[in-house]
Amino acid sequence: MTKKYHSFYAKKRTFKSTLVEKAVKYFFFLNGMISVLFLVLIFLFLFREAFSAISNIGINEFFKNVEWYPTSEDSRYSIIPLILGTLLTAIPATIISSFLGIILGIYLSEIASGRTREIIKPFIEIFAGLPTVVIGFLILAVGSTFFQELFNAGTRLNALLAAFGLSIILIPTISSLTEDALRAVPNNLRMASYALGISKFAMIKNVVIPAAISGVSAGIILGFGRAIGETMIVLMASGNAAELTLNLLHSVRTITATIAGELGEVAIGSPHYYSLFFIGTFLLIITFIINLISELIIERMRKKLKKMN
Amino acid sequence: MENRFKGNIKKENSSNSIIDNLLIGGIRIISFSVIIIFILILGKIFYEGIGVINWNFLTGIPKSDISKGGIGPAIFGTMAVSIIMLILAVPVGIFSAIYISEFAKDTFWLRLIRASVNSLAGVPSIVIGLFGFGFFVLFIGKSIDNILQTGMLFGQPAIIWASATLAVLVLPTIIVTTTEALNSIPLTFRQASLGLGASKWQTIRYIILPQARPGILTGVILALSRSIGETAPIMFLGCAFFLPNLPLAYLDLSFVQIPIINPADQFMHLAYHIFILATQSSNPTLTAPFQYGTTLVLVLITLLLNLTAIIFRFRFRKIIEVVNRNQ
């Protein structure tokens, strides 16, 4: 990626101009290091507070029992129902949006005409930038009653409703990553399969998708990571009861919604305060690993496609 | 890539081709349904919200009964936070991108910076909010108070800390888009400039940055739109539901008083306002038009910003294409 034009620079003449150029370079370098600094600070800071939580409450407390009651007399800090709640919203959301997003990506890359794509693509891009609080509001205002009648759910706000809200923001992410992956497949593969007399759908299914499978799966993993980290939609639509349940129609409480809902009222320096940092650190590590995996997959795909070309 | 072969091979006497066309049709139908759902979502907000919007609504002060009054302070607060966020994030982001694109050789440092930017982009916004609360408010803010003896002025959630946290959040967006813009400037421009005897800094300042301006602006606008839509990180960083007074301070120059944004004040914010209206309202049917109106304002702002960014990017790509063709 980096351009090799350095050798074209003229030899520097005077001591003063060399000094100025050096200073300019170090100025830009220091600015570049600010991202590194903040990433390190985020990790250091969250880990420090998480360790306070472990020394205050004990690591066992977070995984031993199955209740999250940080404000009651006999306070309990189990992260288990929160993890369960996060998965119960994120997994259905990823399944729904992978199905629809991949189909939309295939349509945009392989089927739609150039002009249709030029209209639809910016529209989807705009939708990816819609504030999540807007989706949360609509789910609350319109979706909740509609889905309650549709699924005959006991509680108006539940995990499935949050999953539907999440898929609205995940579909644009997954569809554009799928489209990128499919468009990166060399065109001569398509030509060759047509020449062999294969039909269009069979070509998509047997040639294009297998060639782009790593890019598509990276999109799904990235979407899952986004679903885990999303706050506003689950805070507004999931009902926020820290129940231990596997029923999608029950209300659940996610890690993100717990932090968002409780940090405002917590006493600073209390075990409850530190426990919020502990679950935040947990979330940070999980999303970090997920992003790393998807990046490795994309990197591998790039190398593979380079070889093909 | 563009002139890809898309036609279908005609096959005669084959039941396969019928099933095939059905499946392709299925992909079309599902895709269109998704797009129609998206259009319906936007349409619903426009349809319900457009009736509420008028001058009084946009500039008025909220009343204690939230079905009356306006959202003026929320719009003002959103702008105040965003402006300070841009002041903090844009220079750092552009300078980082200049380092990545123009100075760095493929060394350890470049790879470290690249990896950090990517990782920072993937950190969930709520975790950045948590960091902002712990680091900016409780650590930096409290330290400033201790040194300046200002009591509890900075050691509490305020505009400046919300802006700083959002700046950390959007920094990767600015860096990535600006690096792309700088990288797309043809190498020959740099060679020509250097060949004429310009120094590296002169080349960047007078050749590369002016050429990349639309691309850089795209990144800034995208960052702005993202920060306006973020609710989770600012919820505990000084956002208030009801503040009749604007967060202003007056710069006293004896003959005239200039109002400036008070960075140590609390603020109202559009996105947070929507959240509170939707979740804490005692009578949802009565306040529904008001909620849709507020949502429509936020949606219009982000749509307009995103559209501008898309147009800028389109024009930038056209310029680069023309430049490359003429070489």
Side-chain angles (χ1 to χ4, degrees), chain A residues 3 5 8-9 21 27-29 31 35-36 45 104 107 109 111-112 117 120 125-127 133 137-138 140 142 183 187 190-191 194 199-201 231 235 263 273 287 291, chain B residues 1-2 4-6 20 23 28 31-32 35 38 41 95-96 99 102-103 116 122 124 126 134-135 138 175 183 187 191 194 199-200 231 236 278 291-292 295 303 307 313:
Chain A
K3 299 197 174 95
Y5 59 85
F8 290 98
Y9 282 104
E21 291 287 309
F27 172 74
F28 286 123
F29 173 70
N31 272 290
S35 311
V36 183
F45 207 81
L104 193 56
Y107 172 73
S109 162
I111 298 169
R117 196 181 55 238
I120 295 177
E125 241 172 85
I126 284 177
F127 224 88
V133 70
F137 161 68
L138 269 185
L140 216 55
V142 188
R183 285 174 75 80
N187 213 12
R190 293 187 184 84
M191 299 291 203
Y194 277 137
S199 73
K200 184 159 197 166
F201 186 82
T231 312
L235 179 64
L263 191 64
Y273 169 81
T287 48
N291 288 336
Chain B
M1 283 303 284
E2 280 309 312
R4 198 150 15 127
F5 180 60
K6 285 206 164 165
D20 236 85
L23 287 167
R28 267 179 213 276
S31 302
F32 278 123
I35 290 158
F38 282 0
I41 289 173
F95 294 156
S96 307
Y99 177 75
E102 306 299 319
F103 285 98
S116 302
I126 187 78
F135 180 73
L138 298 182
I175 294 178
N183 274 337
L187 187 53
Q191 293 167 354
L194 294 166
S199 73
K200 193 163 192 175
T231 324
F236 27 81
Q291 296 181 26
Y292 276 106
T295 309
L303 283 192
L307 210 64
R313 188 165 52 199

XYZ file of all heavy atoms in Angstrom, chain A residues 3 5 8-9 21 27-29 31 35-36 45 104 107 109 111-112 117 120 125-127 133 137-138 140 142 183 187 190-191 194 199-201 231 235 263 273 287 291, chain B residues 1-2 4-6 20 23 28 31-32 35 38 41 95-96 99 102-103 116 122 124 126 134-135 138 175 183 187 191 194 199-200 231 236 278 291-292 295 303 307 313:
721
model
N 3.500 3.972 -0.758
C 4.108 4.281 -2.047
C 5.610 4.424 -1.870
O 6.085 4.943 -0.883
C 3.501 5.564 -2.576
C 2.039 5.414 -2.776
C 1.527 6.510 -3.671
C 0.086 6.272 -3.972
N -0.769 7.014 -3.064
N 8.034 6.416 -3.078
C 8.512 7.592 -3.804
C 9.609 8.286 -3.029
O 10.086 9.329 -3.413
C 7.383 8.568 -4.092
C 6.678 9.063 -2.875
C 7.188 10.143 -2.167
C 5.513 8.452 -2.432
C 6.540 10.595 -1.044
C 4.870 8.899 -1.314
C 5.395 9.973 -0.613
O 4.748 10.423 0.495
N 12.713 9.600 -4.574
C 12.672 10.722 -5.491
C 12.988 12.042 -4.810
O 13.179 13.046 -5.474
C 11.306 10.820 -6.158
C 11.077 9.710 -7.120
C 10.354 8.595 -6.748
C 11.627 9.770 -8.393
C 10.150 7.579 -7.638
C 11.413 8.739 -9.281
C 10.681 7.644 -8.909
N 12.979 12.048 -3.497
C 13.202 13.320 -2.829
C 14.627 13.808 -3.056
O 15.583 13.043 -2.987
C 12.929 13.198 -1.329
C 11.465 13.207 -1.075
C 10.777 12.049 -0.771
C 10.764 14.399 -1.201
C 9.421 12.054 -0.584
C 9.419 14.419 -1.012
C 8.741 13.257 -0.705
O 7.397 13.276 -0.534
N 12.704 19.891 8.312
C 12.044 18.705 7.762
C 11.936 17.600 8.809
O 10.931 16.907 8.904
C 12.814 18.190 6.538
C 12.746 19.114 5.332
C 11.369 19.095 4.664
O 10.872 17.996 4.378
O 10.790 20.177 4.453
N 6.651 15.794 14.195
C 5.348 16.337 14.571
C 4.233 15.419 14.071
O 3.325 15.034 14.821
C 5.188 17.745 13.984
C 3.811 18.300 14.150
C 3.370 18.735 15.390
C 2.946 18.374 13.061
C 2.093 19.243 15.537
C 1.664 18.877 13.213
C 1.241 19.306 14.456
N 4.312 15.009 12.806
C 3.279 14.137 12.253
C 3.330 12.753 12.895
O 2.301 12.131 13.148
C 3.424 14.028 10.735
C 2.984 15.271 10.017
C 3.841 15.943 9.167
C 1.707 15.770 10.211
C 3.430 17.097 8.523
C 1.292 16.922 9.563
C 2.161 17.581 8.725
N 4.530 12.290 13.182
C 4.672 10.986 13.835
C 3.978 10.984 15.200
O 3.226 10.054 15.521
C 6.155 10.648 13.982
C 6.410 9.411 14.787
C 6.076 8.164 14.285
C 6.967 9.488 16.057
C 6.299 7.014 15.027
C 7.194 8.348 16.808
C 6.859 7.109 16.290
N 1.524 12.847 16.179
C 0.083 12.833 15.977
C -0.412 11.425 15.649
O -1.469 11.006 16.110
C -0.298 13.792 14.859
C -0.535 15.177 15.394
O -1.511 15.412 16.089
N 0.376 16.079 15.109
N -3.409 7.740 18.345
C -4.328 6.592 18.297
C -3.795 5.443 19.135
O -4.549 4.780 19.852
C -4.515 6.111 16.868
O -4.793 7.163 16.025
N -2.469 5.199 19.003
C -1.852 4.125 19.786
C -2.019 4.430 21.271
O -2.419 3.556 22.063
C -0.347 3.985 19.437
C 0.272 2.835 20.188
C -0.163 3.825 17.944
N -6.737 1.485 31.412
C -7.704 2.041 32.339
C -8.780 1.034 32.695
O -9.128 0.854 33.870
C -8.319 3.298 31.734
C -8.792 4.235 32.768
C -7.906 5.077 33.398
C -10.115 4.248 33.143
C -8.332 5.920 34.380
C -10.549 5.101 34.121
C -9.660 5.939 34.745
N -28.923 -9.672 -0.299
C -28.862 -8.316 -0.846
C -27.500 -8.062 -1.504
O -27.416 -7.455 -2.578
C -29.115 -7.303 0.280
C -29.390 -5.862 -0.099
C -30.562 -5.772 -1.037
C -29.662 -5.028 1.144
N -27.406 -9.834 -4.794
C -28.215 -9.089 -5.758
C -27.429 -7.900 -6.307
O -27.362 -7.691 -7.521
C -29.512 -8.612 -5.097
C -30.311 -7.686 -5.973
C -30.998 -8.183 -7.072
C -30.335 -6.325 -5.728
C -31.707 -7.339 -7.898
C -31.042 -5.468 -6.551
C -31.726 -5.977 -7.631
O -32.411 -5.137 -8.458
N -24.201 -7.347 -6.361
C -22.968 -7.635 -7.083
C -23.213 -8.398 -8.387
O -22.561 -8.144 -9.393
C -22.024 -8.430 -6.192
O -21.046 -9.059 -6.956
N -26.556 -9.506 -9.830
C -27.809 -9.476 -10.576
C -28.198 -8.059 -11.005
O -28.579 -7.846 -12.152
C -28.943 -10.130 -9.740
C -28.591 -11.589 -9.496
C -30.275 -10.014 -10.471
C -29.456 -12.278 -8.502
N -28.107 -7.105 -10.092
C -28.597 -5.760 -10.397
C -27.816 -5.142 -11.545
O -26.617 -5.366 -11.690
C -28.477 -4.874 -9.159
N -27.823 -0.485 -9.191
C -26.877 -0.542 -8.086
C -26.471 0.856 -7.649
O -26.338 1.135 -6.459
C -25.639 -1.343 -8.490
C -24.822 -1.741 -7.283
C -23.591 -2.516 -7.624
N -22.759 -1.825 -8.569
C -22.402 -2.318 -9.733
N -22.808 -3.509 -10.090
N -21.642 -1.626 -10.549
N -29.312 2.047 -5.416
C -29.556 1.304 -4.168
C -28.370 1.420 -3.212
O -28.544 1.547 -2.011
C -29.859 -0.179 -4.485
C -31.177 -0.273 -5.263
C -29.959 -0.996 -3.211
C -31.527 -1.667 -5.679
N -26.071 2.661 2.091
C -24.979 3.302 2.818
C -25.520 4.337 3.801
O -25.094 4.420 4.944
C -24.056 3.998 1.827
C -22.633 3.483 1.830
C -21.860 4.091 0.687
O -21.343 5.201 0.854
O -21.780 3.451 -0.382
N -26.501 5.128 3.325
C -27.126 6.126 4.190
C -27.782 5.436 5.376
O -27.691 5.882 6.512
C -28.165 6.943 3.394
C -27.468 7.946 2.496
C -29.126 7.656 4.328
C -28.411 8.741 1.640
N -28.399 4.306 5.103
C -29.094 3.609 6.181
C -28.119 3.098 7.230
O -28.438 3.040 8.416
C -29.915 2.452 5.616
C -31.266 2.400 6.231
C -32.296 3.124 5.685
C -31.493 1.673 7.375
C -33.530 3.122 6.255
C -32.729 1.670 7.963
C -33.753 2.386 7.414
N -30.346 5.215 17.960
C -31.429 5.590 18.863
C -32.739 5.748 18.079
O -33.832 5.492 18.595
C -31.068 6.867 19.645
C -31.052 8.084 18.757
C -32.015 7.086 20.801
N -36.105 3.823 18.930
C -37.369 4.546 19.114
C -38.476 3.928 18.270
O -39.592 3.686 18.767
C -37.166 6.018 18.746
C -38.441 6.745 18.451
C -39.363 6.994 19.456
C -38.729 7.161 17.163
C -40.547 7.651 19.178
C -39.915 7.815 16.884
C -40.825 8.053 17.894
N -38.171 3.637 16.996
C -39.198 3.073 16.112
C -39.642 1.698 16.589
O -40.830 1.363 16.544
C -38.666 2.968 14.692
C -38.918 4.182 13.804
C -38.455 3.888 12.409
C -40.387 4.559 13.806
N -39.653 0.670 19.571
C -40.474 0.892 20.764
C -41.865 1.404 20.384
O -42.883 0.959 20.919
C -39.766 1.928 21.645
C -39.859 1.775 23.145
C -39.393 0.413 23.551
C -39.002 2.845 23.807
N -43.459 1.467 17.239
C -44.258 0.737 16.264
C -44.072 -0.773 16.391
O -45.033 -1.533 16.479
C -43.881 1.151 14.819
C -44.849 0.536 13.833
C -43.856 2.654 14.693
N -17.411 -8.891 -5.491
C -16.855 -8.117 -6.605
C -15.353 -8.313 -6.724
O -14.776 -8.030 -7.777
C -17.195 -6.644 -6.439
C -18.635 -6.342 -6.755
C -18.982 -4.925 -6.439
N -18.461 -3.990 -7.414
C -19.037 -3.761 -8.598
N -20.127 -4.397 -8.916
N -18.529 -2.905 -9.428
N -13.114 -11.806 -12.689
C -14.183 -11.982 -13.646
C -13.994 -13.201 -14.542
O -14.960 -13.782 -15.021
C -14.299 -10.720 -14.506
C -15.718 -10.468 -14.896
O -16.623 -11.092 -14.345
N -15.921 -9.593 -15.843
N -16.053 -16.164 -13.704
C -17.442 -16.138 -14.189
C -17.488 -16.522 -15.657
O -18.312 -17.340 -16.084
C -18.032 -14.748 -13.998
C -18.204 -14.355 -12.554
C -18.938 -13.036 -12.433
N -19.020 -12.623 -11.036
C -18.062 -11.971 -10.400
N -16.947 -11.655 -11.032
N -18.197 -11.636 -9.138
N -16.600 -15.924 -16.427
C -16.543 -16.208 -17.864
C -16.352 -17.699 -18.111
O -17.051 -18.309 -18.920
C -15.360 -15.462 -18.495
C -15.427 -13.973 -18.382
S -16.734 -13.299 -19.381
C -16.143 -11.646 -19.602
N -19.470 -19.712 -17.339
C -20.494 -19.560 -18.380
C -20.107 -20.356 -19.616
O -20.946 -20.991 -20.254
C -20.635 -18.087 -18.771
C -21.525 -17.304 -17.838
C -21.157 -16.041 -17.417
C -22.738 -17.832 -17.415
C -21.969 -15.318 -16.563
C -23.551 -17.112 -16.559
C -23.164 -15.853 -16.139
O -23.959 -15.140 -15.304
N -25.591 -22.469 -15.499
C -26.592 -21.395 -15.403
C -26.133 -20.355 -14.385
O -25.193 -20.587 -13.625
C -27.934 -21.961 -14.985
O -27.868 -22.305 -13.626
N -26.831 -19.221 -14.393
C -26.387 -18.107 -13.559
C -26.437 -18.447 -12.068
O -25.484 -18.200 -11.329
C -27.261 -16.887 -13.829
C -26.790 -15.680 -13.066
C -27.301 -14.418 -13.690
C -26.523 -13.231 -13.189
N -26.753 -12.044 -13.976
N -27.550 -19.031 -11.645
C -27.671 -19.331 -10.229
C -26.621 -20.352 -9.799
O -25.978 -20.203 -8.757
C -29.072 -19.854 -9.896
C -29.280 -20.047 -8.433
C -29.606 -18.979 -7.623
C -29.117 -21.301 -7.846
C -29.781 -19.140 -6.272
C -29.281 -21.475 -6.492
C -29.626 -20.392 -5.698
N -25.574 -0.653 21.750
C -26.171 -0.333 23.044
C -27.624 0.128 22.959
O -28.502 -0.439 23.595
C -25.376 0.785 23.743
O -24.012 0.455 23.688
C -25.827 0.926 25.175
N -30.925 -1.532 24.661
C -31.367 -0.844 25.883
C -32.850 -0.502 25.796
O -33.600 -0.613 26.768
C -30.542 0.435 26.069
C -30.859 1.308 27.283
C -30.560 0.561 28.563
C -30.062 2.602 27.250
N -24.522 3.110 34.927
C -23.368 3.953 35.244
C -23.796 5.347 35.711
O -23.103 5.989 36.499
C -22.431 4.059 34.039
C -21.074 4.699 34.344
C -20.287 3.852 35.324
C -20.259 4.904 33.085
N -19.747 0.040 40.990
C -19.035 0.845 39.989
C -17.933 0.008 39.326
O -17.829 -0.051 38.100
C -18.464 2.074 40.683
C -17.491 2.894 39.873
C -17.937 3.810 38.934
C -16.116 2.766 40.070
C -17.051 4.571 38.201
C -15.219 3.528 39.345
C -15.688 4.423 38.408
O -14.807 5.167 37.690
N -15.007 -8.332 21.907
C -15.110 -7.677 20.601
C -13.739 -7.568 19.947
O -13.620 -7.678 18.730
C -15.725 -6.270 20.716
O -15.075 -5.573 21.772
C -17.196 -6.332 21.003
N -13.032 -8.971 16.239
C -12.509 -8.126 15.164
C -11.203 -8.676 14.607
O -10.967 -8.629 13.399
C -12.286 -6.697 15.666
C -13.593 -5.975 15.888
O -14.600 -6.327 15.290
N -13.589 -4.997 16.751
N -13.297 -4.284 -14.183
C -14.322 -4.775 -13.249
C -15.713 -4.389 -13.722
O -16.678 -5.112 -13.525
C -14.105 -4.190 -11.855
C -12.985 -4.824 -11.062
S -13.181 -6.588 -10.854
C -14.456 -6.608 -9.576
N -15.831 -3.190 -14.334
C -17.176 -2.676 -14.575
C -17.903 -3.428 -15.683
O -19.061 -3.784 -15.530
C -17.126 -1.181 -14.928
C -16.996 -0.298 -13.712
C -18.023 -0.611 -12.631
O -19.216 -0.721 -12.953
O -17.624 -0.770 -11.461
N -18.584 -6.250 -16.704
C -18.610 -7.657 -16.389
C -19.699 -8.334 -17.195
O -20.742 -7.764 -17.477
C -18.884 -7.830 -14.908
C -18.496 -9.180 -14.441
C -18.074 -9.155 -13.013
N -18.460 -7.947 -12.315
C -19.135 -7.990 -11.186
N -19.531 -9.126 -10.671
N -19.414 -6.895 -10.542
N -19.467 -9.572 -17.538
C -20.448 -10.296 -18.330
C -21.599 -10.702 -17.437
O -21.422 -11.404 -16.462
C -19.773 -11.523 -18.931
C -20.709 -12.329 -19.776
C -21.317 -11.754 -20.881
C -20.982 -13.639 -19.456
C -22.173 -12.495 -21.660
C -21.844 -14.381 -20.229
C -22.443 -13.812 -21.327
N -22.808 -10.202 -17.740
C -23.921 -10.461 -16.841
C -25.038 -11.253 -17.486
O -26.008 -11.609 -16.833
C -24.479 -9.137 -16.320
C -23.572 -8.542 -15.284
C -24.317 -7.678 -14.360
C -23.455 -7.432 -13.131
N -23.922 -6.365 -12.339
N -33.902 -22.213 -12.030
C -32.853 -21.217 -11.911
C -33.400 -19.804 -11.918
O -33.065 -18.978 -11.062
C -31.919 -21.370 -13.102
C -30.539 -21.575 -12.640
O -30.197 -22.731 -12.359
O -29.839 -20.561 -12.498
N -35.139 -19.044 -8.751
C -34.237 -18.732 -7.636
C -33.669 -17.324 -7.753
O -33.600 -16.577 -6.774
C -33.103 -19.762 -7.579
C -33.529 -21.141 -7.081
C -32.451 -22.161 -7.344
C -33.875 -21.089 -5.613
N -34.080 -11.472 -6.107
C -34.605 -10.131 -6.410
C -35.699 -9.734 -5.427
O -35.682 -8.639 -4.866
C -35.212 -10.123 -7.812
C -34.277 -9.698 -8.896
C -35.025 -9.757 -10.220
N -34.149 -10.122 -11.290
C -33.378 -9.228 -11.931
N -33.425 -7.968 -11.602
N -32.571 -9.617 -12.893
N -34.428 -9.061 -1.916
C -33.675 -7.807 -1.873
C -34.605 -6.610 -1.901
O -34.443 -5.657 -1.131
C -32.718 -7.725 -3.061
O -31.853 -8.811 -3.052
N -35.591 -6.671 -2.811
C -36.515 -5.538 -2.901
C -37.332 -5.396 -1.620
O -37.600 -4.274 -1.181
C -37.423 -5.667 -4.124
C -36.752 -5.202 -5.380
C -36.616 -6.041 -6.472
C -36.229 -3.923 -5.460
C -35.972 -5.620 -7.621
C -35.594 -3.489 -6.605
C -35.454 -4.342 -7.693
N -35.310 -3.557 0.885
C -35.222 -2.131 0.558
C -36.545 -1.434 0.837
O -36.577 -0.308 1.346
C -34.777 -1.952 -0.910
C -33.312 -2.378 -1.026
C -34.935 -0.515 -1.363
C -32.887 -2.753 -2.394
N -36.824 -0.728 4.448
C -36.027 0.452 4.774
C -36.777 1.731 4.393
O -36.807 2.695 5.154
C -34.683 0.405 4.032
C -33.688 -0.523 4.670
C -34.009 -1.234 5.817
C -32.423 -0.679 4.137
C -33.098 -2.086 6.404
C -31.499 -1.529 4.718
C -31.835 -2.233 5.847
N -39.554 2.439 6.814
C -39.070 2.971 8.096
C -38.846 4.473 7.990
O -39.331 5.256 8.808
C -37.769 2.250 8.514
C -38.074 0.807 8.921
C -37.089 2.985 9.646
C -36.850 -0.026 9.188
N -3.400 14.985 10.652
C -1.945 14.865 10.816
C -1.518 13.398 10.858
O -0.508 13.024 10.269
C -1.480 15.594 12.084
C -1.670 17.087 12.031
C -1.783 17.838 13.183
C -1.749 17.740 10.804
C -1.962 19.214 13.126
C -1.926 19.111 10.733
C -2.041 19.853 11.898
N -2.316 12.563 11.555
C -1.983 11.137 11.586
C -2.000 10.558 10.188
O -1.097 9.809 9.792
C -2.996 10.355 12.419
O -3.140 10.914 13.676
N 0.992 11.446 8.266
C 2.146 10.611 8.633
C 2.061 9.246 7.950
O 3.024 8.784 7.339
C 2.234 10.429 10.158
C 3.365 9.509 10.526
C 4.676 9.958 10.468
C 3.132 8.180 10.858
C 5.731 9.117 10.748
C 4.189 7.337 11.140
C 5.485 7.810 11.080
O 6.521 6.971 11.337
N 2.306 9.857 3.917
C 3.420 10.575 3.291
C 4.786 10.292 3.909
O 5.792 10.371 3.234
C 3.155 12.090 3.359
C 1.827 12.522 2.777
C 1.706 12.180 1.305
O 2.697 12.349 0.580
O 0.631 11.723 0.895
N 4.832 10.030 5.202
C 6.140 9.930 5.853
C 6.562 8.508 6.155
O 7.717 8.145 5.982
C 6.137 10.743 7.164
C 6.203 12.211 6.956
C 5.058 12.979 6.996
C 7.414 12.834 6.691
C 5.119 14.341 6.789
C 7.483 14.197 6.487
C 6.332 14.953 6.534
N -3.478 -0.081 15.546
C -4.190 0.633 16.608
C -5.425 1.329 16.070
O -6.481 1.311 16.702
C -3.286 1.680 17.249
O -2.149 1.079 17.757
N -12.876 -0.646 16.217
C -13.737 -1.756 16.586
C -14.196 -1.754 18.033
O -14.991 -2.590 18.421
N -16.426 -1.043 21.032
C -17.821 -0.641 21.129
C -17.945 0.752 21.741
O -17.166 1.111 22.630
C -18.442 -1.683 22.068
C -17.530 -2.832 22.036
C -16.166 -2.302 21.760
N -20.004 2.008 23.765
C -20.296 2.075 25.199
C -19.009 1.922 26.011
O -18.843 2.551 27.069
C -21.341 1.002 25.612
C -21.782 1.160 27.048
C -20.816 -0.409 25.411
C -22.765 2.245 27.276
N -14.406 7.321 33.126
C -13.354 7.019 34.095
C -12.107 7.862 33.888
O -11.515 8.353 34.846
N -11.715 8.042 32.623
C -10.443 8.697 32.345
C -10.591 10.219 32.296
O -9.947 10.940 33.054
C -9.867 8.184 31.030
C -8.546 8.803 30.670
C -7.397 8.461 31.352
C -8.461 9.746 29.659
C -6.180 9.034 31.034
C -7.248 10.326 29.333
C -6.107 9.971 30.019
N -13.152 11.506 35.687
C -12.667 11.224 37.039
C -11.158 11.402 37.179
O -10.678 11.745 38.257
C -13.061 9.810 37.455
C -14.570 9.556 37.521
C -14.846 8.149 37.976
C -15.252 10.568 38.432
N -9.084 9.295 10.275
C -7.764 8.842 9.822
C -7.896 7.969 8.577
O -7.203 8.163 7.581
C -7.036 8.075 10.943
C -6.712 9.025 12.092
C -5.748 7.449 10.417
C -6.040 8.365 13.269
N -3.757 8.836 -0.323
C -3.156 7.774 -1.126
C -3.611 7.827 -2.578
O -2.916 7.336 -3.461
C -3.510 6.397 -0.548
C -2.533 5.998 0.540
O -1.411 6.491 0.576
N -2.967 5.123 1.424
N 1.131 9.657 -7.722
C 2.531 9.770 -7.330
C 3.247 10.843 -8.142
O 4.134 11.543 -7.647
C 3.190 8.409 -7.543
C 4.613 8.199 -7.059
C 4.704 8.584 -5.599
C 5.004 6.754 -7.246
N 6.210 13.756 -7.410
C 7.490 13.783 -8.127
C 7.702 15.119 -8.811
O 8.787 15.698 -8.749
C 7.517 12.648 -9.159
C 7.546 11.285 -8.520
C 7.248 10.184 -9.504
O 6.918 10.434 -10.653
N 7.346 8.951 -9.048
N 8.509 17.800 -6.193
C 9.861 17.648 -5.661
C 10.895 17.972 -6.731
O 11.946 18.534 -6.448
C 10.057 16.220 -5.145
C 9.186 15.877 -3.941
C 9.167 14.382 -3.711
C 9.678 16.601 -2.714
N 10.267 21.416 -0.991
C 10.601 20.474 0.077
C 9.403 19.561 0.318
O 8.321 19.776 -0.234
C 10.950 21.226 1.350
O 9.776 21.755 1.917
N 9.610 18.559 1.127
C 8.528 17.612 1.386
C 7.327 18.306 2.033
O 6.178 18.079 1.654
C 9.044 16.515 2.297
C 8.106 15.340 2.364
C 8.823 14.154 2.923
C 7.993 12.922 2.729
N 8.664 11.726 3.145
N -25.382 7.888 20.983
C -26.082 8.225 22.211
C -25.419 7.603 23.417
O -25.271 8.233 24.460
C -27.535 7.727 22.156
O -27.997 7.877 20.831
C -28.409 8.504 23.094
N -23.799 9.355 30.113
C -23.329 9.678 31.469
C -22.188 10.685 31.431
O -21.356 10.724 32.302
C -22.913 8.411 32.217
C -22.458 7.302 31.327
C -21.176 7.293 30.836
C -23.329 6.285 30.964
C -20.763 6.273 30.002
C -22.914 5.280 30.130
C -21.638 5.268 29.650
N -38.750 8.636 24.454
C -39.310 7.330 24.090
C -39.461 6.420 25.296
O -40.349 5.562 25.327
C -38.429 6.665 23.032
N -42.350 13.136 19.755
C -41.237 12.185 19.610
C -40.844 12.033 18.151
O -39.665 12.059 17.799
C -41.638 10.818 20.165
C -41.919 10.828 21.651
C -42.292 9.451 22.143
O -41.908 8.451 21.562
N -43.049 9.393 23.212
N -41.865 11.852 17.278
C -41.558 11.684 15.854
C -40.896 12.936 15.293
O -39.979 12.844 14.476
C -42.834 11.374 15.069
C -43.192 9.917 15.098
C -44.249 9.449 15.869
C -42.468 8.998 14.350
C -44.576 8.106 15.904
C -42.786 7.658 14.366
C -43.847 7.210 15.147
O -44.151 5.892 15.177
N -37.304 12.957 16.347
C -36.581 11.937 15.587
C -36.340 12.405 14.159
O -35.237 12.234 13.626
C -37.388 10.631 15.567
O -37.759 10.313 16.898
C -36.586 9.499 14.979
N -29.026 12.368 7.619
C -29.199 12.061 6.195
C -28.512 13.105 5.337
O -27.790 12.776 4.386
C -30.684 12.016 5.818
C -31.488 10.783 6.199
C -32.831 10.795 5.497
C -30.731 9.524 5.838
N -25.457 12.323 2.896
C -25.636 12.592 1.471
C -24.533 13.498 0.953
O -23.950 13.252 -0.107
C -27.003 13.244 1.256
C -27.672 12.958 -0.078
C -27.973 11.474 -0.201
C -28.956 13.766 -0.206
N -17.531 12.444 -2.047
C -16.679 11.308 -2.405
C -16.792 11.013 -3.889
O -15.809 10.742 -4.571
C -17.070 10.085 -1.579
C -16.090 8.941 -1.762
C -16.261 7.903 -0.720
N -17.659 7.497 -0.650
C -18.183 6.875 0.379
N -17.453 6.597 1.418
N -19.436 6.526 0.369
